[in-house]
Amino acid sequence: MKKIHLILFLFITSAAFSQVEDAWVYFKDKPNSQTYLNNPLTMLTQRALDRRIAQNISLDISDVPIYQSYIDQITSSAGITVKAKSKWLNCLHVRGTQANINALILVSSVDHVDFANRLLNTAKITSVQRRKSEPINKTLEKTINFNYGTSANQIQMLKGDLLHQLNYTGLGKIIAVLDAGFPNVNTAQPFQRLFTNNSILGGYDYVNKSDNFYTGDSHGTLVLSTMGGFTEGQLVGTAPDAKYYLFITEDDNSENPIEESNWVEAAEEADRIGADIITSSLGYFGYDNPNYNHTYSDMTGNSAFASKGANIAFSKGIVVIASAGNEAQTSEPHVGVPAEATNVLAIGAVKADKTYAAFSSIGPSFDNRVKPDVMAQGQASVLSDVSGTITTANGTSFSGPILAGMVACLWQAFPEKTNQEIKQLITQSADRYAAPTVQFGYGIPDFNLALANGLSVSDFSKSDFVVYPNPTSDSISVTLKEGFDSGTIILYTVLGQKVLEKKISSQSAVVSMKSIEKGTYLYKIESNRFSKSGKIIKK
């Protein structure tokens, strides 16, 4: 009997070691790093370098590619398939048997191996109860009806229309979209304006290692339409004049940790080419193999692989937006990876009337940070399907990019601000900023208020002047340069007709515009030492 038990034990052990696993192999160093750091254009584009310079971000060893000889050592190892790589984390995502992966520890360049199944990481074995595998809910993200209403509500809710009126439409900003596929983006009518303006700059399919990114699941097509779509009288995206890169990182046929590695690899490319914003309507908590599942206790801001990558992307000067998830009515209702990351703007979903959408994943994070960060319309969001039909669909998959487009518009207004400053302006403008909740986070942002706050005296140099809010409904505040305590403000119509002239006898004054009709006006502020002009909207 003991012999039978021994044979059975050996059989089970052998089977376990022969099972194919996923893991990350981390290297000790980057021997050629100084050569790259001395020649930064060999690893980053000029636009990426300009973004770093503008935000006073130094280059470091994480910007350097993985040492190719190290990659070759792993690629040539018996039974190992390299699935993805990350220069930021200096590692490869590999697939092989447990035995073959463990053998990599003996490779001289390898620092350590981290299995996706953390029960195999003997130093990290834990008694934490893992939840039952529940892959991300994608059914809510499918089209539910064909309501051809306009997209006005989802933009006006964020006061984005007021930024558009000031010609802040995302021009000059690049958004990298990480998703599951973009079929028919190159043919459907709502995207033709993007092609006419050469606004699709490129992309890549990390799942199939292909340059053809107009393929895959339709999810990314729907997502892109909320930002860049344009059908007169039916759909206007929140950033119609931004530029876009389209990256496929999600395999819609399965849930596997390789998708987190794809996500990070695409984020690194977004950084390399100089993207300003990453938006991702993807989230990870449960996997097909429950041994790979994340737990709520992992939601500490920088534990999961994709969350680490998202935080690094932010450290490079990029604003990172991620959909919070559609899991509020499941056994694990919390915001997942990478939205839970410390520096990511996690976007939850509300209905058209600003009330909470019941599916939207909730906070807080395990370490009690506010998540989601802010909200946008994610129920009955207006968008384009792959045929070019304007319809509606539900999911934080759409509240995320709707808000991401507005980030591009706000940043266009303040090109000198850092990603941290833009993120702060957005959260501080939200309607629950003083009293966040687990469902709403800080609430629904007011991008017009964010614009006004960005122009506030506390944020401006004391050598400048301020006119705010803009747009305005009845009055404006004027703050003159430090050292000047008098001047004149004159308002003209766009045809040059003077409609208002007022003396300003103190460094800060309020000017009433109640007697002026709604419209766009030009203003000129003069004193004995300076003259400034600009545009203001009376709404």
Side-chain angles (χ1 to χ4, degrees):
M1 182 66 68
K2 289 183 178 179
K3 182 181 290 186
I4 293 173
H5 286 165
L6 180 59
I7 293 171
L8 182 60
F9 173 77
L10 291 173
F11 174 76
I12 292 172
T13 302
S14 175
F17 272 87
S18 64
Q19 180 177 331
V20 173
E21 299 286 349
D22 279 49
W24 291 275
V25 178
Y26 291 83
F27 297 113
K28 294 176 180 177
D29 55 12
K30 293 179 177 178
N32 59 342
S33 59
Q34 198 57 51
T35 300
Y36 280 97
L37 293 171
N38 290 342
N39 301 277
L41 284 172
T42 60
M43 59 183 181
L44 296 168
T45 63
Q46 187 60 55
R47 196 178 194 281
L49 295 172
D50 290 343
R51 188 187 64 234
R52 307 287 185 89
I53 293 169
Q55 299 187 54
N56 196 29
I57 298 171
S58 300
L59 298 177
D60 60 38
I61 196 168
S62 69
D63 296 306
V64 175
I66 301 172
Y67 190 47
Q68 186 60 46
S69 294
Y70 288 176
I71 297 175
D72 296 341
Q73 288 174 355
I74 304 303
T75 303
S76 62
S77 299
I80 296 296
T81 302
V82 175
K83 304 296 291 184
K85 62 183 183 294
S86 170
K87 69 174 183 178
W88 286 346
L89 295 164
N90 200 21
C91 70
L92 301 177
H93 186 123
V94 301
R95 189 167 290 167
T97 64
Q98 182 182 348
N100 286 336
I101 292 173
N102 277 332
L104 297 177
I105 298 173
L106 300 176
V107 177
S108 60
S109 60
V110 172
D111 182 75
H112 67 282
V113 171
D114 189 15
F115 281 92
N117 178 0
R118 285 167 291 176
L119 294 174
L120 303 180
N121 297 321
T122 54
K124 300 180 181 179
I125 290 179
T126 175
S127 61
V128 173
Q129 180 65 40
R130 297 187 180 278
R131 73 179 183 91
K132 182 180 178 182
S133 176
E134 292 179 3
I136 288 294
N137 179 5
K138 295 179 181 177
T139 59
L140 283 169
E141 300 169 358
K142 305 301 181 183
T143 300
I144 57 172
N145 60 58
F146 291 91
N147 179 357
Y148 289 91
T150 70
S151 56
N153 191 78
Q154 62 203 36
I155 299 175
Q156 292 172 349
M157 179 185 296
L158 301 173
K159 303 296 173 62
D161 56 315
L162 300 179
L163 270 67
H164 287 181
Q165 290 173 21
L166 292 170
N167 292 322
Y168 298 135
T169 55
L171 188 66
K173 291 298 173 183
I174 295 178
I175 302 175
V177 188
L178 280 56
D179 215 285
F182 304 93
N184 290 5
V185 165
N186 55 336
T187 58
Q189 181 279 322
F191 303 101
Q192 289 311 297
R193 187 173 181 273
L194 291 179
F195 280 89
T196 300
N197 294 332
N198 297 313
S199 295
I200 303 294
L201 300 180
Y204 190 72
D205 179 355
Y206 286 90
V207 175
N208 298 299
K209 313 302 181 190
S210 169
D211 291 326
N212 178 19
F213 50 88
Y214 297 122
T215 185
D217 186 80
S218 63
H219 188 264
T221 301
L222 277 59
V223 163
L224 178 63
S225 73
T226 66
M227 296 176 285
F230 188 90
T231 299
E232 188 71 38
Q234 297 183 52
L235 172 66
V236 177
T238 48
D241 291 322
K243 305 287 188 182
Y244 296 90
Y245 278 92
L246 310 180
F247 297 123
I248 300 175
T249 65
E250 169 82 359
D251 184 349
D252 194 56
N253 295 316
S254 65
E255 291 291 344
N256 186 281
I258 183 61
E259 293 165 320
E260 290 192 48
S261 295
N262 290 341
W263 195 101
V264 174
E265 192 166 0
E268 293 177 0
E269 177 63 9
D271 172 44
R272 188 192 72 81
I273 52 86
D276 304 291
I277 298 162
I278 290 172
T279 185
S280 171
S281 294
L282 305 170
Y284 304 101
F285 224 124
Y287 288 111
D288 294 342
N289 182 344
N291 290 325
Y292 297 163
N293 286 358
H294 294 298
T295 66
Y296 182 44
S297 62
D298 296 329
M299 303 298 115
T300 56
N302 200 45
S303 174
F305 193 82
S307 294
K308 291 177 181 178
N311 285 330
I312 295 173
F314 185 84
S315 76
K316 306 301 183 184
I318 299 171
V319 172
V320 184
I321 293 105
S323 296
N326 304 324
E327 311 306 306
Q329 297 172 314
T330 71
S331 62
E332 181 42 85
H334 295 99
V335 171
V337 174
E340 63 85 31
T342 305
N343 294 312
V344 167
L345 271 173
I347 316 302
V350 294
K351 302 176 185 177
D353 62 0
K354 299 185 179 181
T355 59
Y356 172 70
F359 55 80
S360 184
S361 292
I362 64 171
S365 63
F366 185 76
D367 56 335
N368 208 37
R369 287 173 293 112
V370 173
K371 289 289 175 179
D373 292 89
V374 291
M375 310 290 278
Q377 185 171 338
Q379 185 156 326
S381 302
V382 178
L383 44 77
S384 170
D385 65 16
V386 293
S387 70
T389 300
I390 309 304
T391 183
T392 61
N394 295 346
T396 59
S397 280
F398 311 117
S399 58
I402 285 171
L403 191 128
M406 291 315 311
V407 174
C409 298
L410 181 66
W411 212 352
Q412 178 192 351
F414 299 116
E416 77 288 351
K417 290 192 180 296
T418 67
N419 61 337
Q420 178 62 56
E421 290 170 330
I422 292 296
K423 181 172 178 278
Q424 187 173 3
L425 283 174
I426 293 165
T427 55
Q428 288 182 343
S429 77
D431 58 4
R432 285 173 170 80
Y433 182 71
T437 70
V438 298
Q439 291 180 328
F440 283 86
Y442 293 116
I444 301 170
D446 180 335
F447 278 82
N448 188 46
L449 178 60
L451 183 67
N453 288 342
L455 292 168
S456 68
V457 176
S458 61
D459 277 25
F460 250 63
S461 165
K462 291 184 179 180
S463 64
D464 217 323
F465 79 100
V466 184
V467 177
Y468 68 99
N470 188 4
T472 183
S473 56
D474 56 8
S475 64
I476 53 174
S477 295
V478 180
T479 301
L480 298 178
K481 285 174 174 260
E482 187 175 51
F484 299 99
D485 57 6
S486 65
T488 303
I489 181 169
I490 306 170
L491 265 64
Y492 302 90
T493 68
V494 292
L495 298 177
Q497 179 185 7
K498 184 189 297 185
V499 294
L500 182 148
E501 181 173 350
K502 181 178 174 63
K503 294 286 186 182
I504 302 172
S505 58
S506 62
Q507 193 170 345
S508 182
V510 176
V511 179
S512 174
M513 293 182 65
K514 289 182 179 179
S515 62
I516 298 176
E517 296 293 326
K518 294 179 180 179
T520 301
Y521 296 90
L522 305 176
Y523 68 80
K524 187 175 184 180
I525 298 176
E526 296 181 315
S527 79
N528 59 339
R529 296 191 186 181
F530 78 97
S531 175
K532 289 284 186 178
S533 59
K535 181 170 65 175
I536 194 162
I537 290 177
K538 167 71 181 297
K539 61 180 180 178

